[in-house]
Amino acid sequence: MTAPGVAAPDALHDALTAARLCTIDPRLGGIVLKGGEMLREAVLAELRSGLGPERRIPVNVDDDRLLGGIDLTATLAAGRPVRREGLLAEAAGGFVVLPMAERLSEAVAGHIAAAIDTGDARFVTVAFDDGVEADARPPAALMERLAFHIDLTEARLGAALSPTTVADRVEDAPGAIDALVTTAAALGIASARAPRFALLAARAAARMNGRTQVTDADLALAALLVLAPRATQWPTEPETAGEAPPPPPDQDQGDGQEETATDTPPLDDLILAAALAALPPDLLAQVAAGKSRQRARANGAGERRLGHARGRPLAARAGMPGGGKRLSLIDTLRAAAPWQRLRGRSGRVMIRRDDLRIRRFEARAEALTIFAVDASGSSALARLAEAKGAVELLLAEAYVKRAEVALIAFRGTGAETLLPPTRSLTRARRSLADLPGGGGTPLAAGLNAARELAESARARGRTPFIVVLTDGRANIAADGGTVRAIAESDAASAARAIGVAGIAAAFVDISARPRPEGAMLAAAMRARYLALPRADAGVMHAAISAAQAA
């Protein structure tokens, strides 16, 4: 088993094992399966053999179908309220399947999470993670409550699990809880659910193998399946796991007693070693870059906004139609149906103002990344070349993320918008082909131009993100003067204006030796500060993407 994104050939065996553990103890919550579309059926078959048929929950499910509510047709026919069960209640004792779980709304994920927490209708959840982007994951509230996260992307079809005899009860090994908690802390896992899931998985593993007591092997399996996929750091002292025990002390020849040395390392080390075996080899690089493997938001995505015209349908709410708000007829009838007997039987459905429901939709605003590039000095051409490469990399993702890119260059005594907001890669390359360079550094003018463009984009419903590439050393004031003190003061004022406007930003310090000026301007902008003195286009693109997702 490996962390998400690093699939192992035996990942299918791990998924089948996780499915059987869930059938033994549904308190484990369920499984997140990434990739492996052709292999998922084997996992579902394992769950069906232990839990029965499943219920599938579509991404656009409404609250009434998910949680239960009034059956409108039966209610109108019977003249009395007739309720129907929701999908979660129908799944009691079985399991639910969530196709395209990365597209679930926070509201639907919250309802499922609440049902898992209450345990009134216990069921196992299988979430299919079909996100193409590395950071497009199912909602965090759902991921937190499912014990197993398994990547089947490169898994191979293998042999099925052999039948086993399930024991009725098991006892914990001495020190098991302390060892799991210690291992979770060493791996940087802050959630208290993780060691609890690991303990439940170890107990289920013991029962699956017909044992009456949890063994070291059961704890190691739990660490491999539950703790390793949640790791966010490499343990500070991994060398302690699996080390050879110290040599036995010299025997005392006088007492005739022979000392016995133990060959078994501490339980903490055994569990940690099992978890380390499943960690991805690039975990240290991910941590050093400050990237989380469990981001709930895709890089560069726009804000979620409610509307009444188009987007992803949401549950209807009480309200009056008009002003762009449209009536939801079915939901209105459903709200009025239970009250018809009290309102009198006149052969017509009596609807009052309180019954009216309006449609709601959720849409993502388009995102706009604005590059404000320092084009002054002898190294301007190199900096603009890096910006050009980063712009082209971001444009390649624009069609997926609904993002636009703009470029502002500041040099001499002012700033110029070289590339207005666009998704056209051809237009971008044509505009970036011949960029001017040299002259002074009118940093204030560049920051003001970026802020004005961002505010204009926000007024049109877009989500702006400013990326400033400079060394932070302003020498041209906002009015074109050459007094350095005034230039620095104007730059600080322009930076504060961006921070006050609440525009998300990143400040990329491209000077050979970063100085405090850049960090101070970034703080005034309330922006992420990135010191990248020798960054190429790829490094710059990765750093900017990480800053946007932070």
Side-chain angles (χ1 to χ4, degrees):
M1 230 299 296
T2 59
V6 185
D10 60 348
L12 178 60
H13 184 273
D14 292 336
L16 294 174
T17 302
R20 182 164 296 183
L21 296 179
C22 286
T23 63
I24 294 174
D25 191 348
R27 291 177 297 175
L28 288 165
I31 315 171
V32 179
L33 295 177
K34 183 174 181 61
E37 289 80 0
M38 304 300 294
L39 304 178
R40 293 170 178 173
E41 183 57 33
V43 181
L44 297 183
E46 182 67 33
L47 290 169
R48 292 188 194 106
S49 65
L51 297 174
E54 73 271 16
R55 292 289 186 271
R56 290 191 174 246
I57 299 180
V59 172
N60 60 347
V61 64
D62 57 27
D63 289 353
D64 287 322
R65 185 67 188 104
L66 182 67
L67 305 176
I70 296 296
D71 187 327
L72 181 60
T73 303
T75 296
L76 294 177
R80 57 180 177 80
V82 177
R83 295 189 60 85
R84 66 174 178 180
E85 288 187 332
L87 288 171
L88 297 182
E90 293 174 0
F95 68 101
V96 299
V97 178
L98 306 176
M100 296 185 295
E102 77 284 352
R103 299 182 60 186
L104 277 181
S105 67
E106 298 291 342
V108 173
H111 288 317
I112 298 174
I116 294 174
D117 287 343
T118 57
D120 295 335
R122 181 147 298 171
F123 54 86
V124 171
T125 303
V126 180
F128 292 158
D129 181 3
D130 296 317
V132 177
E133 300 170 359
D135 293 327
R137 306 294 305 280
L142 186 63
M143 296 280 288
E144 174 75 6
R145 288 163 174 82
L146 305 184
F148 306 106
H149 304 165
I150 300 177
D151 190 343
L152 295 176
T153 304
E154 298 180 4
R156 296 193 297 264
L157 187 62
L161 297 181
S162 58
T164 57
T165 302
V166 179
D168 294 333
R169 298 178 59 184
V170 294
E171 295 181 0
D172 293 335
I177 297 177
D178 291 342
L180 290 173
V181 171
T182 300
T183 302
L187 296 174
I189 303 173
S191 172
R193 285 191 176 92
R196 176 179 177 271
F197 280 146
L199 181 62
L200 293 176
R203 292 173 178 172
R207 293 179 58 194
M208 180 179 67
N209 292 288
R211 292 191 285 265
T212 58
Q213 185 172 15
V214 174
T215 65
D216 295 350
D218 299 325
L219 293 171
L221 178 65
L224 186 92
L225 294 178
V226 178
L227 299 183
R230 289 173 163 82
T232 60
Q233 70 180 27
W234 200 278
T236 55
E237 296 180 356
E239 67 274 6
T240 59
E243 280 188 349
D250 294 335
Q251 297 179 358
D252 188 352
Q253 301 296 333
D255 57 8
Q257 297 290 334
E258 185 176 358
E259 297 285 344
T260 303
T262 177
D263 293 330
T264 304
L267 183 59
D268 294 4
D269 291 350
L270 288 173
I271 298 176
L272 184 58
L276 290 177
L279 293 184
D282 60 342
L283 180 62
L284 282 176
Q286 295 179 17
V287 174
K291 296 184 67 176
S292 169
R293 292 181 292 107
Q294 297 182 4
R295 296 194 189 279
R297 171 185 168 193
N299 292 347
E303 297 175 349
R304 295 181 184 272
R305 296 179 179 175
L306 296 178
H308 303 283
R310 62 178 180 268
R312 178 184 296 178
L314 298 178
R317 289 290 183 266
M320 286 291 296
K325 301 177 182 178
R326 293 185 291 176
L327 178 70
S328 177
L329 179 60
I330 298 298
D331 293 291
T332 298
L333 293 175
R334 187 177 287 118
W339 307 100
Q340 295 306 300
R341 177 172 292 182
L342 296 178
R343 295 174 184 175
R345 300 296 299 274
S346 60
R348 295 180 297 176
V349 177
M350 305 296 292
I351 297 177
R352 296 182 180 176
R353 179 170 180 166
D354 293 342
D355 302 327
L356 297 179
R357 298 292 185 269
I358 58 174
R359 295 180 178 178
R360 296 191 313 151
F361 299 90
E362 180 186 72
R364 244 188 218 284
E366 293 183 349
L368 170 63
T369 301
I370 303 170
F371 284 89
V373 183
D374 184 352
S376 64
S378 58
S379 60
L381 295 179
R383 282 185 290 228
L384 290 176
E386 294 160 0
K388 174 184 175 181
V391 167
E392 292 186 359
L393 289 173
L394 286 173
L395 279 172
E397 303 171 355
Y399 293 100
V400 177
K401 299 179 179 179
R402 298 179 60 83
E404 292 183 330
V405 175
L407 178 64
I408 295 173
F410 52 94
R411 57 182 286 274
T413 59
E416 180 184 1
T417 301
L418 299 177
L419 181 65
T422 182
R423 289 198 192 98
S424 172
L425 187 58
T426 301
R427 180 183 178 188
R429 286 172 175 167
R430 185 167 58 249
S431 300
L432 297 173
D434 186 16
L435 296 177
T441 307
L443 184 53
L447 294 178
N448 286 329
R451 175 181 54 80
E452 292 169 1
L453 182 57
E455 290 177 339
S456 175
R458 190 158 60 181
R460 296 194 302 271
R462 291 177 173 84
T463 302
F465 185 85
I466 297 176
V467 180
V468 181
L469 292 89
T470 181
D471 57 10
R473 301 169 188 174
N475 55 27
I476 301 296
D479 59 1
T482 58
V483 180
R484 182 177 291 273
I486 298 177
E488 292 175 349
S489 176
D490 289 347
S493 298
R496 284 193 296 271
I498 293 176
V500 171
I503 302 171
F507 190 100
V508 182
D509 192 337
I510 54 178
S511 58
R513 294 182 179 179
R515 296 174 57 182
E517 291 91 338
M520 293 173 62
L521 288 173
M525 292 171 59
R526 302 176 186 174
R528 178 92 176 263
Y529 177 71
L530 303 170
L532 301 174
R534 297 179 179 83
D536 57 14
V539 172
M540 192 179 301
H541 169 258
I544 293 169
S545 297
Q548 285 180 289

